[in-house]
Structure formats: structure tokens, C-alpha cells
Amino acid sequence: MIKYILRRLVSMIVVLLVTIVVISTLMYFVPGDPALIMLGQSATKEAVAELHEKYHMDDPYLVKVGKYIGNLLHGDMGISFKSKTPVWDELMARFPVTLRITIGSTVIGLIIGVVTGIISAVKQYSVLDRILTAISLFGASAPSFWIAMMLVLLFSVQLGWLPATGSYSWKHWILPLFTLGLQCSAGIMRMTRSSMLEVIRQDYVRTARAKGQSEPKVIVNHALRNALIPILTTTGIKMCGYIGGSVLVETVFALPGIGKYILDSVSYQDYNVVQGGTVLICICCVIITFVVDMLYALVDPRIKGTYGSSRRVKKVKAKAAVEG
Amino acid sequence: MKKRKALALALCVAMLMTLLAACGSSDTTTAAPDNGGEAAKGDHLIVVDSADVSNLEPNESDEQTHYQYTRQIYETLFVYDENYNIQPWLCESYEYEDDCTIIMHIRKGVKFHNGDELKASDVLFTFKRIVDENLGGGRVEIPNIDIAKCEAVDDYTLKFVTTVPSATQISLLEGPATGILSERAYKEANGDFLNGACCGTGPFKFVSYKAGDSVELEAFEDYWREGEPKVKTLTIRAIPDSAARATEAQTKGAHIVYDINATDIAMVDSTDGVSVVQDLGTNTSYLLFNTAMAPMDNPLVREAIWYAVDPEAAVKLAYGDFGSFATGWVCPGILGYDEASYKEHKVTRDVEKAKALLAEAGYPNGLEVEIAVQGNNQQRIDMSVAFQAQLAEAGITCKLNTMESATWIEYILSGKHMMTIYGFSCADFEADRALNQLMPFHSNFELCSYDNADFQKAVSEAGGTLDRDARAKLYVQAADMLMKDHVTLPLWHKALNAAVVDGVEGFRITRSYEHHYLQYVSVPAE
């Protein structure tokens, strides 16, 4: 298991490094002059030139990328051109909102998706299955901003039950979390259904029933556990998407998350924020993927077993080659 | 088995009740944030602005949305009254020692939020900091200051010296980017505006900042104006998305919501208990021609385009009844506004004449032109689409080059465009701010690259002319040249608006820098 974790950690670091270089390179070639945006209508040409010098905006490519990676290793993502505060501080001020959106909507999506997916699989081709499948198809295809607007119109504007924007109390979180949660549940429901259908007719499930186990136990302990891998994969992908991709929901509900912040920073040409934000999202995605990988091994011991035996096989082959 | 069923049923009921509780109506307006619950008692004002403030530095930013926050904390030496006449504020009175020297008498008994009394040395420190650190927003308000010669004569007297006679200097000192900050607070906090340096003399003092979301302020108990502010606490929230702002106004989640999109005004205004107030701003949008870029370097081509387009129809399409179709080179009420002169140069659409001019210019079979369009401004996109259709009738194929905002700005400020739609503000109520942007020393020069010595002479001369009437004539003269040479076609005078909940009193739109004074605002007691 330790080797499995170590190997995952190494690949995680490599992916991160490559991504940082790619992002830095892309940012270097992005057109635009942040100085013009920062100084606004009142800027003189001298002021623009001074700002270029102050923020080393005209450094050559290699110097810029090298400096960025060097600083990043020291935990320095640079200064936001707009707020003049460290990018890291700005991102961390917004990260809890993003994290809450990501975790909250994923949990809602998982609860609804897994339960409805199981029901659909167990009651395959029933009326209930067809209704749930239709709802999930709708959920998967309806854009999140549209769902968000419909929920706001109904619950905030028409009924006045829930606040339309902000993040000041638990009530403020209901609409945004359900917007993303419902959409998330659609994908998870479809994955749970198909995955459950694959395992539900397996011999070991039949054996469990034959041994007289109750149906819920058979479904949960024998079928669901073996169907979890694709569900975990889907959940991990969804979470990665929400970390930086819940911009539309953040916009509609005026939530100060990092996705919206990065988008606004693009308009402001605050490239340090864009770069730092993208790196942070990348780090989060790598961590989520790592956790999902760990969960694979936890859910299905065969995975670490396979990993372990393949290494052993290689060692044996190598030893044989040397001896041969 | 029965026990299990009962347990399952109980769980279902519990879940249902939780859901109902979550969705249930609360005792106050649920649409208001919890920290705004006190609004019902009439002591907590909630305002929605269209942008986050990022930091609370008063002198650097050039953005009007930034001033909505800082204006409540820092004050300036002068302000405009309801009729937009300049009035002393932190400066109680002043006199000119000579054309370049103003002796300012600082108001006594004014306190900063840290308890220190405002002194001339704080004012001097603020100006010195603006100059030394080249803070863009503040620098433009004291363009000709001779900081080495400025001095704090005593605690309440400041000698303000300019390098050349500066006609608009007093009105420029109304600019919120010259907000006076406490020297001691700034130095003790090492310039950290979220941790101590945010210390002005304004009606509200800083409490907290939630990044990307809101700023909490509270009434300053030692504020020098009796009975102000009218509320105990003020929350300014940032909602950049115009649709979300409109929704917030409709749900009455805030007492005042700034900047309702032109297309949402009717919808918000028709909401029970909410009304939209409007007033003209100081910004005018223009169709700008880059005279350095072929074929716009040909005056006949520019004239042909003036005849080919119908700006009034384009403005109506984009803005409906919001704001007003341009009636002068600058907005009414701005020094330099001259409707008669504008009418003289305004042309009525004449497609045949446009074709004839094109033929004369060497394009008998029409030509291809391009408008650089700001992608995140729907109204400017709409106007450009209208121009495209109108130009087509005159045989001019117009390509719309729609770009993301930052790319567009860089594109037009580096003079790569043929035409674009752009706005100039005259926050000091004089045309100089707009005209100066077309001068060669300005970073906006390449918007038009208008290299006309007479124009530059008129603008420069106006800046040093202390006589108001003479200055106005020079402004009109300069604007006339821009229209006579078909360089800037005025389109639309921008309006400002805000959705205000019924019962809110004392709120009025401030035209100058689009920052609204909230110390006079009271909220209804429910």
C-alpha cells in the first residue's frame, strides 16, 4: 500500500510541475497590457512605463517562467495587480466558498444520485425506473445557470422563501448547492444504475441471496460495494469540475468563489491571479484524484493487490534476466 | 421488520420536516442577508455595488465603483452640492495668493477615525504620497502640483502650489481619489489598508472586508457633521452580474442597488415597493475614428460614415429610454457643453451623400471597414450591429471585431483599430477631462491619433485659463474641431441609476464620480 501511495504521489508532483510550466508559458503569450487597465483613463505614457518596470512586466520568457516557479516553490504566487495584496491571500479568502460549493453539492449529488440509481437498477424497466431515468437525463442536459435562474425565480422572486444572492447564512446556501447538487446527481444516478446493473446479476450476488441475506444487505454490501469504482470516478471528476468550474453558479448567486474571481481577473488582466488561481485549481484536482485513487484501493483490495503483484512480477523477471 | 419500517418512516418525516424548515418563510424578509436583519429597525443600510473593492486604498484607483466604498470612509477638501456647485468641505475656505498658489484653511475640529484631529500636515502627506508613489487616480486630480513648494504653514493652513495656473484645480479636489488619510494611521499600519491604514474622516469607519463579497462599515460617532450618518451600520455588497443585481433589487435584498442594466430597468421599476431613480452622469459615448489608420486617415471617408449612420436609431436600439441621445459634445451641465455648436456639426443621415463622398474619396464601389467592439458591453455591441446595417446601405462593408474587454482595451489604446465606441467622463464638470484624453501626452491619444496643433493649443490654453467663460469658449472651440474633422461622433449621454426600496430617504444620485453620498440616507423602520 505504501508503494502504491508513493507512486501516486510522485506522478502527482510531475503532473503539477508540467501543468505549472504550461500555465506559465500560456500566460506569457496572452495578449494585453495590465498596466493600461490598472491605470485607467487617466494614465500618461510615463505612468504606464513606470508600472511596467515596477512589476517586471517586460521580463523575457525564461526569466519570467523561471522566477515564477522559483517563487512558487517558496509559496509566493506574486501580487495581485488590482488589490496589491498577495495572490495567495486573495485566493485563500475565497477558497472556503469554493470548497463549500464543491463539497456541499457533491454530497447532495451523491445522496440523491446513489439512492435513485440503486432504485432504478433494482426496479429495472419499471415505471419508477423510467421516470427517474428521464429526470436524470433532464438534469444532465439542463445547463446549471438555467436551473439556477429558475430556482431563483421560483423560490426568491415569486415565493420569497429564500435569498437570491449572497452567502451569509445556511439559507443562502440552499439554492446554489441544490442547483449544482441536482445536476451532479444526474450523472451519478446514471453511473450508479449502469454499474449496479452490471453487478446485480453476478454469481456472488445470487449466492448472497441464496445464503438467506436480506435484500438491503445484498444490495448494499455485495452489489453496491462492487459497483462503487465507477461512481467514485464520476464523483472525483465532478468535484474537480466544481473547484474551478462553478463560475456560472457563483455569478448567478453572487458567491465570492475562486472561479468567478479568476474570470474577473482575466477581464482585469490580473495575470498573477489567473496564473495562481489556475495552479491552485490544478493542485486541488490532483489532490482529489489522489484521494479517489486511495479510495479505489480501500473499496477494492484487488487494486493494491494487483499493483503489488505486478511489481513482484517485474522484480522476479529482472532477477531471472540477471541470472540468465 | 415493523420496527424498521417505523424507523424508516420516522426518518422520512424528519427529512421532510427539515426540508420544509429550510424552505419555510422566515419572520423577516428572508431575501435580506442575515447580517442585514437589523434593517427592519432602520439602523442598518444595505447597498449593492457592481464591483468588489479589492482594497480600501483611497488615492490609487481610477474606478468609479471603487469610490462607492472609499467615499464613505475618506473625505475630500471640496464637494459638490445638490446643484453641482463646488463647496468647501474639509477645506473651510481658500484664497488665491497668486495664479499658482492657493492658501487653504483646513476645517478645525474634524477627527479621523483613530481619534486624531485632521491637520494640514495630513493633507500634505496625502498629496505627497500621491505624487511620490505616482498613484494614478489621485495624480490626475492634482496634475500640476508642485509638491516641493507645498507646505503646511500651520496646523490648519496649507499652501497648495501648482507649476502652472490650473483653472480646474479646486473642482479636481472634489475627486474622491484625493481623499485625505491619516498620516499616523498610515505609517503605524505600514500602509496596510485592511489592517489599520484605512482611516479617514468620513461618516463611516471600516469594520471588515469579506473578499469578493462585502465591506462592513459602522457610523463614526465623532463625525464632524451633526446628525450624520443617519444609520448605525452600512454594508456594501458586490454583485458584479447585472442580472443578479436586478434579482436582488426585485427581492428587496438590499435597500439600494446601483447600476441596473438598461434592459432590466422596466422590470425592476414595476416591482412593488421598489423604484428606480435616474440622473444623467458626466460620461458621453462616441464613435471614435482612428485618423492614423487607413482608410480613416481620409477625412472624406470619415465624413461619408457620418452621413451613412443614424446614431439616434442606434442609441434607441441599444439603450431605449435610458440616458439620452447626445445633444452636445459633452453632457448638459458640463462646462463646454454647447448644443448650438453641436447642431451645427451634426448631420442628418443621407445615404446618397455618403456614397458621393466615398466616390470622391476614391471608393466608388464601396469599401471595407472595421469597428472594434467591447465584448462585455451589450449596448455597445447593439449599437455596432446597427451601424453595420446602416453602413451596408451606403456600400460600406463593416466588420465587427468583437473582443474580450482587456484585449479590446489594449487593441484600441495601441491604435490598431479603425473605429470603436468609447466613453469619456467629465467628473470635474468641465470638458477638460475628456479633451485631455486626446492629447499626445495621454495614454489614450492613439484612440484617435488626432494630431492637430490648433486643437492641442486650445486644450492646453483652457487648462491655464482661470476665467470660466473664456475657458468654456476654448472647450467649445476644441470640441468643434473634433466634430468638424469628423473624429469623434457623440452618441449617448450616460445616465446613472439605482433601485431604491420604498421608505429609503435622503438618497440621491451623484453625477460627478458616480459615487453616492450615503451619510444622508435613512432606512425605514418596520
Side-chain angles (χ1 to χ4, degrees), chain A residues 41 43 83 160 165 168-169 269, chain B residues 30 34 55 213 237 248 442-443:
Chain A
Q41 282 196 357
S83 68
T165 62
Y168 306 100
S169 71
Q269 296 197 347
Chain B
T30 52
D34 275 10
N55 68 41
D213 185 85
R237 293 180 56 203
E248 195 64 11
H442 203 282
S443 61

Side-chain angles (χ1 to χ4, degrees), chain A residues 32 39-43 45 50 83-84 93-94 152 160-163 165-169 171 174 251 256 267-269, chain B residues 22-23 26 30 33-34 52 55 60 62-63 134 140 210-213 237 241 247-248 404 406 410 423 437 440 442-443:
Chain A
L39 293 169
Q41 282 196 357
S42 52
K45 287 176 181 172
E50 269 182 38
S83 68
K84 313 288 182 300
R94 291 161 173 85
V152 167
W161 288 354
L162 294 167
T165 62
S167 57
Y168 306 100
S169 71
K171 280 183 186 171
I174 293 177
T251 303
S267 303
Y268 200 80
Q269 296 197 347
Chain B
C23 301
S26 67
T30 52
D34 275 10
D52 179 32
N55 68 41
E60 183 166 19
D62 185 2
E63 293 174 46
N134 200 13
V140 79
K210 192 174 171 192
D213 185 85
R237 293 180 56 203
D241 182 57
T247 307
E248 195 64 11
E404 191 275 322
E410 203 217 354
Q437 293 188 46
H442 203 282
S443 61

Side-chain angles (χ1 to χ4, degrees), chain B residues 106-107 117-122 152-158:
Chain B
I106 306 302
R107 192 178 292 277
E117 192 185 0
L118 167 73
K119 299 279 172 63
S121 58
D122 292 299
V153 179
D154 58 45
D155 278 355
Y156 304 104
T157 310
L158 179 81

